[in-house]
Amino acid sequence: MKKNTFYLLGGCIALVLLTLFWYSVEINSPLLIEIAFVLGIILVYILRRRVTDLIEDERSRKITEKAALRTFQVFWVIFCAFSIGAVMQILRVPTFPRQREPMRPPTEIFPPEIMPPKIMGYVQLWLLCLMIFLYVGFRFYYARKYGDWEIDEE
Amino acid sequence: MKNKIKVFRAMHDMTQEDLAQAIGVTRQTILAIEKGKYVPSLDLAFKIARYFNVNIEEVFTYEPGVQAVHID
């Protein structure tokens, strides 16, 4: 398979996934897009192995490894910081009534302060975007550092 | 790490693309090695030297004290 065909098929898979994502939101079923996403990525990996004119040598592999390692080194710290916060939400024991809100009537019962799923979703989205940006940024940085955009003297 | 790939290419009247195809790497890798931006692995260094039918020391020269740009 040619490189361009692979990119074209990759674009088609992305479009299908986007449509399924929209449909999943419409029918309120996250399982559909979750399964489709995993299958889509597996399909992309299979297609990539069939590309014949895509040369991946030791330098490009090293750049990818280096970018992935640096992304991991930065991302796990941020991810753990968020996760620790989330774990604290689980371990928190609610107190009734809250002492910091003395103006409320004592008979009113407040639910424990758990991070709402919507906020969790936003944070996850932010983390996902951060990971992608970090990887792309590091990829560009190391590609440039190790001569991807050197001027040819030939 | 200095190298004379460019010299050997000129002697064999080869382009970077020709050499890259012959040893199975990208043209950018040959360019990066020539410019000293990337130090190749021993395997790749031997491939290049073998391709030109010379010893590895004739193509690559190690210079102590010179900071090598290496991905590790």
Side-chain angles (χ1 to χ4, degrees):
Chain A
M1 182 195 296
K2 295 283 177 195
K3 197 165 55 178
N4 288 345
T5 314
F6 169 69
Y7 291 142
L8 197 69
L9 286 172
C12 291
I13 291 168
L15 274 176
V16 170
L17 285 179
L18 204 65
T19 311
L20 282 175
F21 176 73
W22 170 78
Y23 184 66
S24 292
V25 173
E26 284 291 311
I27 64 169
N28 198 21
S29 166
L31 195 65
L32 175 68
I33 182 63
E34 283 168 359
I35 292 170
F37 180 75
V38 172
L39 291 178
I41 296 299
I42 291 170
L43 189 60
V44 167
Y45 284 152
I46 291 169
L47 289 173
R48 198 176 184 282
R49 293 183 72 163
R50 291 171 186 266
V51 180
T52 49
D53 61 342
L54 191 68
I55 300 171
E56 193 184 44
D57 60 10
E58 61 173 46
R59 191 183 62 93
S60 55
R61 265 196 298 273
K62 285 276 184 184
I63 290 170
T64 307
E65 283 170 15
K66 188 93 172 168
L69 180 69
R70 287 280 179 264
T71 304
F72 178 71
Q73 283 175 334
V74 175
F75 185 74
W76 85 266
V77 178
I78 299 164
F79 185 75
C80 277
F82 169 72
S83 296
I84 290 164
V87 168
M88 280 187 69
Q89 295 274 341
I90 297 167
L91 297 175
R92 182 175 173 165
V93 180
T95 51
F96 304 103
R98 290 182 203 153
Q99 288 180 350
R100 58 190 165 142
E101 292 171 16
M103 298 305 288
R104 293 186 186 238
T107 51
E108 194 177 340
I109 296 172
F110 302 104
E113 280 183 359
I114 296 171
M115 196 179 282
K118 207 165 189 174
I119 299 291
M120 288 281 281
Y122 279 123
V123 175
Q124 292 252 348
L125 183 67
W126 183 81
L127 285 171
L128 187 68
C129 290
L130 176 77
M131 188 172 69
I132 293 167
F133 275 110
L134 277 174
Y135 179 73
V136 171
F138 280 125
R139 190 83 173 70
F140 271 100
Y141 172 75
Y142 285 110
R144 187 174 169 275
K145 187 175 179 182
Y146 300 114
D148 245 20
W149 292 289
E150 282 295 314
I151 298 162
D152 197 353
E153 290 172 356
E154 278 187 332
Chain B
M1 184 85 77
K2 281 195 168 183
N3 68 78
K4 294 179 187 165
I5 295 176
K6 201 169 184 174
V7 177
F8 278 99
R9 270 198 310 110
M11 283 162 63
H12 287 77
D13 195 23
M14 291 180 85
T15 62
Q16 288 171 342
E17 187 69 51
D18 295 337
L19 179 61
Q21 279 186 358
I23 58 173
V25 295
T26 59
R27 191 186 64 83
Q28 281 306 118
T29 298
I30 299 295
L31 179 61
I33 296 169
E34 280 185 7
K35 292 255 182 186
K37 288 272 181 178
Y38 174 64
V39 177
S41 67
L42 263 179
D43 187 57
L44 181 55
F46 269 107
K47 269 186 190 171
I48 294 168
R50 290 262 166 90
Y51 185 78
F52 291 125
N53 253 333
V54 291
N55 289 327
I56 196 166
E57 297 93 341
E58 292 177 60
V59 185
F60 295 94
T61 316
Y62 177 66
E63 288 191 325
V66 177
Q67 185 70 40
V69 180
H70 200 309
I71 303 173
D72 52 14

mmCIF file of all heavy atoms in Angstrom, chain B residues 4-26:
data_model
loop_
_atom_site.group_PDB
_atom_site.id
_atom_site.type_symbol
_atom_site.label_atom_id
_atom_site.label_comp_id
_atom_site.label_asym_id
_atom_site.label_seq_id
_atom_site.Cartn_x
_atom_site.Cartn_y
_atom_site.Cartn_z
ATOM 1 N N LYS B 4 33.278 11.535 6.874
ATOM 2 C CA LYS B 4 33.630 11.950 5.511
ATOM 3 C C LYS B 4 32.633 11.386 4.492
ATOM 4 O O LYS B 4 33.010 11.073 3.354
ATOM 5 C CB LYS B 4 35.038 11.457 5.170
ATOM 6 C CG LYS B 4 36.129 12.096 6.002
ATOM 7 C CD LYS B 4 37.480 11.512 5.606
ATOM 8 C CE LYS B 4 38.563 12.008 6.538
ATOM 9 N NZ LYS B 4 39.785 11.211 6.412
ATOM 10 N N ILE B 5 31.418 11.259 4.916
ATOM 11 C CA ILE B 5 30.409 10.669 4.015
ATOM 12 C C ILE B 5 30.271 11.506 2.742
ATOM 13 O O ILE B 5 30.190 10.977 1.633
ATOM 14 C CB ILE B 5 29.045 10.542 4.730
ATOM 15 C CG1 ILE B 5 29.155 9.558 5.883
ATOM 16 C CG2 ILE B 5 27.966 10.066 3.768
ATOM 17 C CD1 ILE B 5 27.904 9.428 6.712
ATOM 18 N N LYS B 6 30.283 12.804 2.953
ATOM 19 C CA LYS B 6 30.119 13.697 1.804
ATOM 20 C C LYS B 6 31.244 13.487 0.778
ATOM 21 O O LYS B 6 31.000 13.488 -0.439
ATOM 22 C CB LYS B 6 30.108 15.148 2.299
ATOM 23 C CG LYS B 6 29.467 16.097 1.340
ATOM 24 C CD LYS B 6 29.252 17.433 2.002
ATOM 25 C CE LYS B 6 28.512 18.347 1.054
ATOM 26 N NZ LYS B 6 28.140 19.598 1.683
ATOM 27 N N VAL B 7 32.460 13.325 1.297
ATOM 28 C CA VAL B 7 33.617 13.105 0.425
ATOM 29 C C VAL B 7 33.445 11.799 -0.349
ATOM 30 O O VAL B 7 33.625 11.743 -1.568
ATOM 31 C CB VAL B 7 34.920 13.077 1.265
ATOM 32 C CG1 VAL B 7 36.116 12.773 0.384
ATOM 33 C CG2 VAL B 7 35.107 14.399 1.998
ATOM 34 N N PHE B 8 33.082 10.752 0.407
ATOM 35 C CA PHE B 8 32.918 9.445 -0.249
ATOM 36 C C PHE B 8 31.767 9.462 -1.249
ATOM 37 O O PHE B 8 31.833 8.809 -2.294
ATOM 38 C CB PHE B 8 32.702 8.353 0.812
ATOM 39 C CG PHE B 8 33.983 7.877 1.419
ATOM 40 C CD1 PHE B 8 34.410 8.353 2.650
ATOM 41 C CD2 PHE B 8 34.792 6.961 0.752
ATOM 42 C CE1 PHE B 8 35.597 7.924 3.208
ATOM 43 C CE2 PHE B 8 35.985 6.530 1.309
ATOM 44 C CZ PHE B 8 36.393 7.012 2.538
ATOM 45 N N ARG B 9 30.751 10.199 -0.926
ATOM 46 C CA ARG B 9 29.623 10.322 -1.874
ATOM 47 C C ARG B 9 30.090 10.978 -3.166
ATOM 48 O O ARG B 9 29.740 10.541 -4.267
ATOM 49 C CB ARG B 9 28.498 11.152 -1.258
ATOM 50 C CG ARG B 9 27.494 10.352 -0.503
ATOM 51 C CD ARG B 9 26.195 11.090 -0.277
ATOM 52 N NE ARG B 9 26.318 12.438 0.261
ATOM 53 C CZ ARG B 9 26.051 13.539 -0.426
ATOM 54 N NH1 ARG B 9 25.666 13.452 -1.674
ATOM 55 N NH2 ARG B 9 26.182 14.723 0.144
ATOM 56 N N ALA B 10 30.861 12.037 -2.973
ATOM 57 C CA ALA B 10 31.363 12.761 -4.149
ATOM 58 C C ALA B 10 32.276 11.865 -4.985
ATOM 59 O O ALA B 10 32.210 11.878 -6.225
ATOM 60 C CB ALA B 10 32.112 14.010 -3.690
ATOM 61 N N MET B 11 33.102 11.066 -4.279
ATOM 62 C CA MET B 11 33.999 10.149 -4.994
ATOM 63 C C MET B 11 33.215 9.111 -5.806
ATOM 64 O O MET B 11 33.641 8.693 -6.881
ATOM 65 C CB MET B 11 34.917 9.430 -3.994
ATOM 66 C CG MET B 11 36.059 10.304 -3.500
ATOM 67 S SD MET B 11 36.811 9.675 -2.001
ATOM 68 C CE MET B 11 37.441 8.110 -2.556
ATOM 69 N N HIS B 12 32.084 8.696 -5.261
ATOM 70 C CA HIS B 12 31.260 7.690 -5.959
ATOM 71 C C HIS B 12 30.163 8.335 -6.808
ATOM 72 O O HIS B 12 29.306 7.615 -7.334
ATOM 73 C CB HIS B 12 30.632 6.739 -4.940
ATOM 74 C CG HIS B 12 31.612 5.793 -4.337
ATOM 75 N ND1 HIS B 12 32.505 6.172 -3.353
ATOM 76 C CD2 HIS B 12 31.871 4.491 -4.583
ATOM 77 C CE1 HIS B 12 33.248 5.138 -3.006
ATOM 78 N NE2 HIS B 12 32.887 4.107 -3.747
ATOM 79 N N ASP B 13 30.194 9.651 -6.851
ATOM 80 C CA ASP B 13 29.201 10.406 -7.622
ATOM 81 C C ASP B 13 27.758 10.008 -7.231
ATOM 82 O O ASP B 13 26.946 9.620 -8.070
ATOM 83 C CB ASP B 13 29.433 10.174 -9.126
ATOM 84 C CG ASP B 13 28.674 11.200 -9.956
ATOM 85 O OD1 ASP B 13 28.373 12.282 -9.403
ATOM 86 O OD2 ASP B 13 28.361 10.926 -11.124
ATOM 87 N N MET B 14 27.509 10.096 -5.956
ATOM 88 C CA MET B 14 26.197 9.699 -5.438
ATOM 89 C C MET B 14 25.505 10.880 -4.779
ATOM 90 O O MET B 14 26.161 11.749 -4.205
ATOM 91 C CB MET B 14 26.345 8.619 -4.368
ATOM 92 C CG MET B 14 26.801 7.286 -4.859
ATOM 93 S SD MET B 14 26.905 6.180 -3.454
ATOM 94 C CE MET B 14 25.214 5.636 -3.367
ATOM 95 N N THR B 15 24.191 10.865 -4.834
ATOM 96 C CA THR B 15 23.426 11.864 -4.095
ATOM 97 C C THR B 15 23.086 11.281 -2.725
ATOM 98 O O THR B 15 23.254 10.074 -2.496
ATOM 99 C CB THR B 15 22.116 12.212 -4.825
ATOM 100 O OG1 THR B 15 21.325 11.024 -4.909
ATOM 101 C CG2 THR B 15 22.379 12.770 -6.209
ATOM 102 N N GLN B 16 22.594 12.128 -1.860
ATOM 103 C CA GLN B 16 22.168 11.644 -0.531
ATOM 104 C C GLN B 16 21.041 10.627 -0.678
ATOM 105 O O GLN B 16 20.982 9.636 0.050
ATOM 106 C CB GLN B 16 21.696 12.828 0.318
ATOM 107 C CG GLN B 16 22.816 13.723 0.782
ATOM 108 C CD GLN B 16 22.324 14.994 1.431
ATOM 109 O OE1 GLN B 16 21.163 15.378 1.248
ATOM 110 N NE2 GLN B 16 23.195 15.665 2.148
ATOM 111 N N GLU B 17 20.167 10.906 -1.610
ATOM 112 C CA GLU B 17 19.031 10.009 -1.853
ATOM 113 C C GLU B 17 19.522 8.623 -2.292
ATOM 114 O O GLU B 17 19.006 7.596 -1.817
ATOM 115 C CB GLU B 17 18.129 10.626 -2.930
ATOM 116 C CG GLU B 17 16.826 9.885 -3.170
ATOM 117 C CD GLU B 17 15.861 9.990 -1.997
ATOM 118 O OE1 GLU B 17 15.605 11.117 -1.547
ATOM 119 O OE2 GLU B 17 15.362 8.943 -1.549
ATOM 120 N N ASP B 18 20.525 8.595 -3.181
ATOM 121 C CA ASP B 18 21.077 7.314 -3.651
ATOM 122 C C ASP B 18 21.632 6.498 -2.484
ATOM 123 O O ASP B 18 21.345 5.305 -2.339
ATOM 124 C CB ASP B 18 22.208 7.549 -4.667
ATOM 125 C CG ASP B 18 21.696 8.208 -5.931
ATOM 126 O OD1 ASP B 18 20.487 8.071 -6.203
ATOM 127 O OD2 ASP B 18 22.501 8.860 -6.628
ATOM 128 N N LEU B 19 22.445 7.171 -1.666
ATOM 129 C CA LEU B 19 23.064 6.474 -0.535
ATOM 130 C C LEU B 19 22.002 6.006 0.458
ATOM 131 O O LEU B 19 22.059 4.880 0.968
ATOM 132 C CB LEU B 19 24.073 7.402 0.160
ATOM 133 C CG LEU B 19 24.793 6.826 1.377
ATOM 134 C CD1 LEU B 19 25.613 5.593 1.004
ATOM 135 C CD2 LEU B 19 25.712 7.867 2.019
ATOM 136 N N ALA B 20 21.030 6.894 0.691
ATOM 137 C CA ALA B 20 19.952 6.551 1.637
ATOM 138 C C ALA B 20 19.204 5.298 1.176
ATOM 139 O O ALA B 20 18.955 4.391 1.974
ATOM 140 C CB ALA B 20 18.991 7.731 1.766
ATOM 141 N N GLN B 21 18.886 5.262 -0.101
ATOM 142 C CA GLN B 21 18.167 4.096 -0.636
ATOM 143 C C GLN B 21 19.031 2.839 -0.574
ATOM 144 O O GLN B 21 18.541 1.752 -0.281
ATOM 145 C CB GLN B 21 17.748 4.369 -2.070
ATOM 146 C CG GLN B 21 16.483 5.215 -2.152
ATOM 147 C CD GLN B 21 15.976 5.377 -3.579
ATOM 148 O OE1 GLN B 21 16.606 4.888 -4.511
ATOM 149 N NE2 GLN B 21 14.878 6.082 -3.718
ATOM 150 N N ALA B 22 20.328 3.022 -0.814
ATOM 151 C CA ALA B 22 21.223 1.864 -0.824
ATOM 152 C C ALA B 22 21.365 1.212 0.544
ATOM 153 O O ALA B 22 21.495 -0.010 0.642
ATOM 154 C CB ALA B 22 22.599 2.291 -1.336
ATOM 155 N N ILE B 23 21.318 2.034 1.591
ATOM 156 C CA ILE B 23 21.487 1.438 2.932
ATOM 157 C C ILE B 23 20.181 1.400 3.732
ATOM 158 O O ILE B 23 20.186 1.004 4.898
ATOM 159 C CB ILE B 23 22.605 2.157 3.729
ATOM 160 C CG1 ILE B 23 22.304 3.644 3.868
ATOM 161 C CG2 ILE B 23 23.962 1.933 3.124
ATOM 162 C CD1 ILE B 23 23.277 4.359 4.769
ATOM 163 N N GLY B 24 19.108 1.813 3.103
ATOM 164 C CA GLY B 24 17.790 1.649 3.726
ATOM 165 C C GLY B 24 17.446 2.624 4.827
ATOM 166 O O GLY B 24 16.828 2.257 5.829
ATOM 167 N N VAL B 25 17.857 3.873 4.641
ATOM 168 C CA VAL B 25 17.447 4.923 5.586
ATOM 169 C C VAL B 25 16.843 6.084 4.791
ATOM 170 O O VAL B 25 16.785 6.033 3.568
ATOM 171 C CB VAL B 25 18.645 5.442 6.439
ATOM 172 C CG1 VAL B 25 19.179 4.370 7.344
ATOM 173 C CG2 VAL B 25 19.749 6.001 5.560
ATOM 174 N N THR B 26 16.420 7.109 5.498
ATOM 175 C CA THR B 26 15.860 8.268 4.796
ATOM 176 C C THR B 26 16.991 9.230 4.397
ATOM 177 O O THR B 26 18.071 9.212 5.003
ATOM 178 C CB THR B 26 14.859 9.029 5.684
ATOM 179 O OG1 THR B 26 15.533 9.458 6.865
ATOM 180 C CG2 THR B 26 13.685 8.160 6.062
#
